[in-house]
PDB file of all heavy atoms in Angstrom:
ATOM      1  N   SER A  73      -7.785  23.865  17.546  1.00  0.00           N
ATOM      2  CA  SER A  73      -8.708  22.778  17.846  1.00  0.00           C
ATOM      3  C   SER A  73      -8.511  21.619  16.869  1.00  0.00           C
ATOM      4  O   SER A  73      -8.621  20.458  17.247  1.00  0.00           O
ATOM      5  CB  SER A  73     -10.159  23.264  17.970  1.00  0.00           C
ATOM      6  OG  SER A  73     -10.709  23.427  16.708  1.00  0.00           O
ATOM      7  N   PHE A  74      -8.146  21.932  15.622  1.00  0.00           N
ATOM      8  CA  PHE A  74      -7.844  20.852  14.665  1.00  0.00           C
ATOM      9  C   PHE A  74      -6.645  20.034  15.151  1.00  0.00           C
ATOM     10  O   PHE A  74      -6.677  18.802  15.140  1.00  0.00           O
ATOM     11  CB  PHE A  74      -7.576  21.431  13.267  1.00  0.00           C
ATOM     12  CG  PHE A  74      -7.479  20.381  12.192  1.00  0.00           C
ATOM     13  CD1 PHE A  74      -8.613  19.960  11.506  1.00  0.00           C
ATOM     14  CD2 PHE A  74      -6.252  19.794  11.884  1.00  0.00           C
ATOM     15  CE1 PHE A  74      -8.529  18.976  10.522  1.00  0.00           C
ATOM     16  CE2 PHE A  74      -6.163  18.808  10.897  1.00  0.00           C
ATOM     17  CZ  PHE A  74      -7.300  18.406  10.223  1.00  0.00           C
ATOM     18  N   ILE A  75      -5.618  20.738  15.608  1.00  0.00           N
ATOM     19  CA  ILE A  75      -4.412  20.037  16.090  1.00  0.00           C
ATOM     20  C   ILE A  75      -4.780  19.161  17.299  1.00  0.00           C
ATOM     21  O   ILE A  75      -4.392  18.001  17.380  1.00  0.00           O
ATOM     22  CB  ILE A  75      -3.291  21.046  16.463  1.00  0.00           C
ATOM     23  CG1 ILE A  75      -2.874  21.854  15.230  1.00  0.00           C
ATOM     24  CG2 ILE A  75      -2.079  20.320  17.046  1.00  0.00           C
ATOM     25  CD1 ILE A  75      -2.082  23.122  15.552  1.00  0.00           C
ATOM     26  N   GLY A  76      -5.571  19.720  18.218  1.00  0.00           N
ATOM     27  CA  GLY A  76      -5.999  18.975  19.400  1.00  0.00           C
ATOM     28  C   GLY A  76      -6.691  17.671  19.031  1.00  0.00           C
ATOM     29  O   GLY A  76      -6.423  16.616  19.614  1.00  0.00           O
ATOM     30  N   ASN A  77      -7.553  17.742  18.014  1.00  0.00           N
ATOM     31  CA  ASN A  77      -8.315  16.556  17.614  1.00  0.00           C
ATOM     32  C   ASN A  77      -7.462  15.446  17.011  1.00  0.00           C
ATOM     33  O   ASN A  77      -7.901  14.299  16.942  1.00  0.00           O
ATOM     34  CB  ASN A  77      -9.405  16.941  16.600  1.00  0.00           C
ATOM     35  CG  ASN A  77     -10.570  17.619  17.290  1.00  0.00           C
ATOM     36  OD1 ASN A  77     -10.812  17.386  18.474  1.00  0.00           O
ATOM     37  ND2 ASN A  77     -11.270  18.464  16.561  1.00  0.00           N
ATOM     38  N   LEU A  78      -6.257  15.799  16.567  1.00  0.00           N
ATOM     39  CA  LEU A  78      -5.405  14.780  15.943  1.00  0.00           C
ATOM     40  C   LEU A  78      -4.852  13.794  16.975  1.00  0.00           C
ATOM     41  O   LEU A  78      -4.337  12.737  16.627  1.00  0.00           O
ATOM     42  CB  LEU A  78      -4.258  15.437  15.177  1.00  0.00           C
ATOM     43  CG  LEU A  78      -4.665  16.247  13.929  1.00  0.00           C
ATOM     44  CD1 LEU A  78      -3.442  16.923  13.320  1.00  0.00           C
ATOM     45  CD2 LEU A  78      -5.320  15.345  12.882  1.00  0.00           C
ATOM     46  N   LYS A  79      -4.986  14.134  18.237  1.00  0.00           N
ATOM     47  CA  LYS A  79      -4.471  13.281  19.315  1.00  0.00           C
ATOM     48  C   LYS A  79      -5.046  11.867  19.224  1.00  0.00           C
ATOM     49  O   LYS A  79      -4.355  10.871  19.414  1.00  0.00           O
ATOM     50  CB  LYS A  79      -4.842  13.903  20.669  1.00  0.00           C
ATOM     51  CG  LYS A  79      -4.155  13.237  21.815  1.00  0.00           C
ATOM     52  CD  LYS A  79      -4.263  14.004  23.103  1.00  0.00           C
ATOM     53  CE  LYS A  79      -3.173  13.502  24.023  1.00  0.00           C
ATOM     54  NZ  LYS A  79      -2.393  14.551  24.614  1.00  0.00           N
ATOM     55  N   ARG A  80      -6.327  11.844  18.903  1.00  0.00           N
ATOM     56  CA  ARG A  80      -7.081  10.608  18.725  1.00  0.00           C
ATOM     57  C   ARG A  80      -6.383   9.687  17.710  1.00  0.00           C
ATOM     58  O   ARG A  80      -6.236   8.487  17.939  1.00  0.00           O
ATOM     59  CB  ARG A  80      -8.441  11.081  18.185  1.00  0.00           C
ATOM     60  CG  ARG A  80      -9.585  10.218  18.134  1.00  0.00           C
ATOM     61  CD  ARG A  80     -10.829  11.081  17.750  1.00  0.00           C
ATOM     62  NE  ARG A  80     -10.591  12.054  16.669  1.00  0.00           N
ATOM     63  CZ  ARG A  80     -10.627  11.756  15.375  1.00  0.00           C
ATOM     64  NH1 ARG A  80     -10.882  10.549  14.971  1.00  0.00           N
ATOM     65  NH2 ARG A  80     -10.401  12.699  14.463  1.00  0.00           N
ATOM     66  N   ILE A  81      -5.972  10.258  16.590  1.00  0.00           N
ATOM     67  CA  ILE A  81      -5.337   9.463  15.535  1.00  0.00           C
ATOM     68  C   ILE A  81      -3.980   8.942  16.014  1.00  0.00           C
ATOM     69  O   ILE A  81      -3.634   7.788  15.809  1.00  0.00           O
ATOM     70  CB  ILE A  81      -5.170  10.309  14.245  1.00  0.00           C
ATOM     71  CG1 ILE A  81      -6.562  10.659  13.703  1.00  0.00           C
ATOM     72  CG2 ILE A  81      -4.325   9.588  13.207  1.00  0.00           C
ATOM     73  CD1 ILE A  81      -6.549  11.507  12.452  1.00  0.00           C
ATOM     74  N   LYS A  82      -3.261   9.820  16.681  1.00  0.00           N
ATOM     75  CA  LYS A  82      -1.929   9.441  17.170  1.00  0.00           C
ATOM     76  C   LYS A  82      -2.037   8.299  18.185  1.00  0.00           C
ATOM     77  O   LYS A  82      -1.187   7.410  18.217  1.00  0.00           O
ATOM     78  CB  LYS A  82      -1.286  10.671  17.815  1.00  0.00           C
ATOM     79  CG  LYS A  82       0.149  10.479  18.229  1.00  0.00           C
ATOM     80  CD  LYS A  82       1.083  10.567  17.053  1.00  0.00           C
ATOM     81  CE  LYS A  82       2.522  10.528  17.511  1.00  0.00           C
ATOM     82  NZ  LYS A  82       3.446  10.543  16.369  1.00  0.00           N
ATOM     83  N   ARG A  83      -3.106   8.336  18.991  1.00  0.00           N
ATOM     84  CA  ARG A  83      -3.280   7.288  19.997  1.00  0.00           C
ATOM     85  C   ARG A  83      -3.512   5.939  19.321  1.00  0.00           C
ATOM     86  O   ARG A  83      -2.952   4.922  19.690  1.00  0.00           O
ATOM     87  CB  ARG A  83      -4.469   7.637  20.910  1.00  0.00           C
ATOM     88  CG  ARG A  83      -4.155   7.347  22.370  1.00  0.00           C
ATOM     89  CD  ARG A  83      -5.336   7.657  23.266  1.00  0.00           C
ATOM     90  NE  ARG A  83      -5.307   9.008  23.787  1.00  0.00           N
ATOM     91  CZ  ARG A  83      -6.348   9.831  23.832  1.00  0.00           C
ATOM     92  NH1 ARG A  83      -7.523   9.436  23.341  1.00  0.00           N
ATOM     93  NH2 ARG A  83      -6.245  11.019  24.341  1.00  0.00           N
ATOM     94  N   LYS A  84      -4.357   5.995  18.253  1.00  0.00           N
ATOM     95  CA  LYS A  84      -4.683   4.757  17.539  1.00  0.00           C
ATOM     96  C   LYS A  84      -3.494   4.240  16.739  1.00  0.00           C
ATOM     97  O   LYS A  84      -3.236   3.049  16.679  1.00  0.00           O
ATOM     98  CB  LYS A  84      -5.851   5.056  16.574  1.00  0.00           C
ATOM     99  CG  LYS A  84      -7.075   4.177  16.858  1.00  0.00           C
ATOM    100  CD  LYS A  84      -7.969   4.088  15.645  1.00  0.00           C
ATOM    101  CE  LYS A  84      -9.238   4.885  15.844  1.00  0.00           C
ATOM    102  NZ  LYS A  84      -9.910   5.252  14.620  1.00  0.00           N
ATOM    103  N   ARG A  85      -2.781   5.204  16.088  1.00  0.00           N
ATOM    104  CA  ARG A  85      -1.661   4.800  15.224  1.00  0.00           C
ATOM    105  C   ARG A  85      -0.446   5.644  15.557  1.00  0.00           C
ATOM    106  O   ARG A  85      -0.182   6.661  14.920  1.00  0.00           O
ATOM    107  CB  ARG A  85      -2.042   4.972  13.750  1.00  0.00           C
ATOM    108  CG  ARG A  85      -2.934   3.827  13.223  1.00  0.00           C
ATOM    109  CD  ARG A  85      -3.097   3.869  11.718  1.00  0.00           C
ATOM    110  NE  ARG A  85      -3.786   5.073  11.267  1.00  0.00           N
ATOM    111  CZ  ARG A  85      -3.228   6.050  10.581  1.00  0.00           C
ATOM    112  NH1 ARG A  85      -1.960   5.990  10.253  1.00  0.00           N
ATOM    113  NH2 ARG A  85      -3.928   7.095  10.223  1.00  0.00           N
TER     114      ARG A  85
END
Side-chain angles (χ1 to χ4, degrees):
S73 80
F74 189 89
I75 298 164
N77 284 334
L78 293 176
K79 190 167 199 130
R80 193 171 43 83
I81 295 179
K82 187 78 174 177
R83 222 181 268 135
K84 239 202 252 159
R85 281 190 296 111

